[in-house]
Amino acid sequence: MIILASWHHHSRRLHYRLASSTLLHTSCNAPEKIISNRFPCPSLLKRVASACTEAIQDISRNKFHFTTTRPISYYCHLLRPLVVHPKRSIHQYLHFDNFFSTLPKLRTMASTPTKRMRCLPGPTGYAVAREEADKFPKTNASESFVRYVENRPYLPLLDVDPSSEESILHVAKSVLLARRTTNELAPDQVRKPSKSLFDVEEDEKKDGDDIHPTHNDTNVNAADEVVLLTPEDRQVTKISGGLTNALYLIGAPDSPSSVLLRVFGAEGMIDRDLETTNLARLCGTSDQGKKVVHQGIDVVGRFGNGRVETWVPGMRQAHYVDDFGSRKVSVSSNGKGGLVEDDQVEKYGGLVVEVARQLARLHYGFQTPEYLLEGVEVGRLQPTLWKVIRSWINELSHNLSHEHFQLDSSLRKLFYEGTTGKQFLNNGESASRQNNSASKNSPIFIANEMICYLSDQLKWVQSLIDEQYPDAPIGFCHNDVNAGNILVNASVQDAETSGKHENDEPYNAETVCLIDYEYCSINYTMYDIANFFNEHTGGNDNGIPNYALYPSVERQCHFLEAYLRERDFIDSKTHGGNANTDANVDANDDPVKDISSEITHLQSQVEIFQMINSLYWGIWGIVQAAEEVRIGTFRVDDARSRMMGEIDGDEWDYLKYGRNRLERFRDCKGKMMRC
């Protein structure tokens, strides 16, 4: 008898097979001679040989029947240190068979990921995976091709059909199964189609095996904690509020086993390779060993047209009115800000103060990934803001060349008015440039007018920043912090707060969670804050922001104070400063440092960046509407009335939103030019 041990990665079990042969005597005396050339490491061989020998001797005494004086688990525990599944205990199976001519390879957990798998670095790793996928036989199942990028599975041939619940469940199960095999399956080895994830789990539960996570790495990601979905969790719920992507919750809202499936939108406007890599890095730890983002956020894996992420239960979305409002508080003079006893000033509640702290952690506590520093001068990051806007203008130019715009003059005039704020006259002449040229009504002319208008605005705002604020701070930014992208623990209620450290408040890094990092990039940090201030006005529900809700200067300064205090706290921890080096010391209680002048300086930057932010999202809305025209989903009926807000539509209107944000930009520019 000889025990043949193999890791069966399709059924996720470790198999022990007993084979009868004439090598029984040799097996008992020197099993090393039989299996020495089959194992990758001599240290593994010694343990395996010992386990095999003990099992053979015990079973031999019982005349080769499947009965031993010891339980099967006794032999298996000898191999337990060698083969460790990241999510499950080792499954023990003994099988009698006639003869196995070869000893299958025992897959083992090596000491480092690089030894146990070939993991591709992002974002270029995604492109490499797609190139390899192009050579993969198309007759095979799409879920059988898996590559691993940033230690997470990528299934480029697997696409989801958002209209099919069955497709959503199938894709989620395939990605979760690939995630389970991350630490055992080499990515350059193609998996054959296997059982569905749900069926595998049901089999495992029938076997009565204990289910518990096993971690060999001190840096555990949230996705490693995701338990496979049970039959009761197989419900799919579409989540409202996503303007760029289609979002689906798979499982119960209050279950930690649930996952979020994201179907990518905004085709051509977001680099999904870069975005997913950024998110994967953010889900790691900072230099100080603390997560920059919420500990519950992680990337489970990616498929062809989307991604599976962890779900944070017990949270609600913030509301731009209910949660971003201010309150009057009494303050005393500190001898610096000129405040008098019992002055009434506007201050934020604890939620917005925590958002300020989390933005500071993102801007200053996250080490910029190396792939974002390629070709960058040492000591000076380059903001991507101008590059992104320019790429969107080019995308709009491409969409305007589509046949729908070429054949429909009313459609061209509608988009011209939404973009430039000027009506196009019936004779083909613009209200601003009237002449007798017959070519004025041509599709090429109208498209060029729109592109030239947006390009001119981009050049103007870029030169404005370069001239007035050449040293504006730059860091890794979220770029889309709005109420829908802020999750709050549903059980937390607001409390009177003065912006103290997170341990003293109900709003902290555990109860507040920033999500949706798809627009994150290297950018001006004050642009990130200006975006948040603009989002106080709403508009993500009906496309019409209410700028009366824009925060006052007092509230902006309160936000910036909390932001700068957290920045200084991070800096003192990073550089080993003497002040506030204890984690229990409140960075906001520093009575020495006067940051009032810096607050004033940064607030003046915010005023300009909030105008640029309106240009940014205005162009985004116009491009998204033009994309709807290109793919045939744009609603032509009453389009202008909807754009102008004269009638309400049942669905989100990109053109109306884009037009309103560009109007805000023009208003701010006009006020600045008049000053």
Side-chain angles (χ1 to χ4, degrees), residues 9-10 140-141 143-145 189-195:
H9 61 265
H10 304 316
N140 291 17
E143 67 269 21
S144 64
F145 183 91
Q189 179 176 355
V190 176
R191 291 193 297 107
K192 296 180 180 179
S194 60
K195 283 187 177 182

Side-chain angles (χ1 to χ4, degrees), residues 52-179:
C52 291
T53 301
E54 288 203 42
I56 291 169
Q57 291 174 347
D58 285 347
I59 295 175
S60 297
R61 283 193 291 269
N62 287 275
K63 299 181 180 180
F64 305 110
H65 293 295
F66 190 62
T67 57
T68 69
T69 57
R70 294 168 175 166
I72 297 174
S73 59
Y74 171 79
Y75 310 110
C76 296
H77 91 274
L78 297 175
L79 293 177
R80 192 180 298 272
L82 306 180
V83 184
V84 181
H85 192 285
K87 294 295 296 181
R88 296 291 186 269
S89 59
I90 294 178
H91 301 278
Q92 299 95 23
Y93 286 87
L94 291 178
H95 300 281
F96 278 105
D97 210 332
N98 293 327
F99 180 76
F100 293 87
S101 59
T102 60
L103 182 67
K105 180 181 179 180
L106 176 63
R107 298 193 178 277
T108 63
M109 291 278 290
S111 58
T112 60
T114 55
K115 291 183 179 181
R116 64 176 178 263
M117 63 163 51
R118 180 172 68 90
C119 183
L120 302 172
T124 56
Y126 290 108
V128 172
R130 287 190 293 271
E131 290 178 1
E132 296 178 359
D134 291 339
K135 304 174 184 178
F136 186 69
K138 305 305 179 185
T139 56
N140 291 17
S142 57
E143 67 269 21
S144 64
F145 183 91
V146 183
R147 294 295 181 266
Y148 291 83
V149 184
E150 294 292 323
N151 289 322
R152 291 161 176 83
Y154 178 39
L155 292 73
L157 298 180
L158 183 63
D159 286 338
V160 67
D161 178 7
S163 63
S164 170
E165 182 174 312
E166 181 180 358
S167 175
I168 293 173
L169 287 172
H170 172 70
V171 170
K173 291 185 289 186
S174 299
V175 173
L176 279 169
L177 178 59
R179 177 70 188 220

Side-chain angles (χ1 to χ4, degrees), residues 328-340:
K328 291 285 187 177
V329 297
S330 297
V331 295
S332 300
S333 173
N334 60 6
K336 297 176 182 179
L339 299 176
V340 182

Side-chain angles (χ1 to χ4, degrees), residues 573-644:
K573 295 287 289 184
T574 304
H575 298 96
N578 294 325
N580 300 327
T581 54
D582 189 342
N584 296 322
V585 176
D586 189 348
N588 297 289
D589 284 339
D590 185 358
V592 178
K593 187 171 183 178
D594 180 10
I595 58 175
S596 58
S597 60
E598 186 175 7
I599 290 175
T600 302
H601 178 67
L602 293 180
Q603 194 275 331
S604 64
Q605 294 184 28
V606 168
E607 284 303 301
I608 294 182
F609 278 120
Q610 65 90 13
M611 174 184 65
I612 299 173
N613 178 254
S614 292
L615 176 67
Y616 177 94
W617 289 117
I619 296 176
W620 175 86
I622 300 296
V623 174
Q624 294 277 54
E627 175 67 15
E628 287 184 327
V629 173
R630 188 185 68 82
I631 63 178
T633 60
F634 183 81
R635 295 174 297 156
V636 179
D637 296 341
D638 300 322
R640 187 178 185 280
S641 296
R642 291 197 312 274
M643 181 183 75
M644 302 303 294

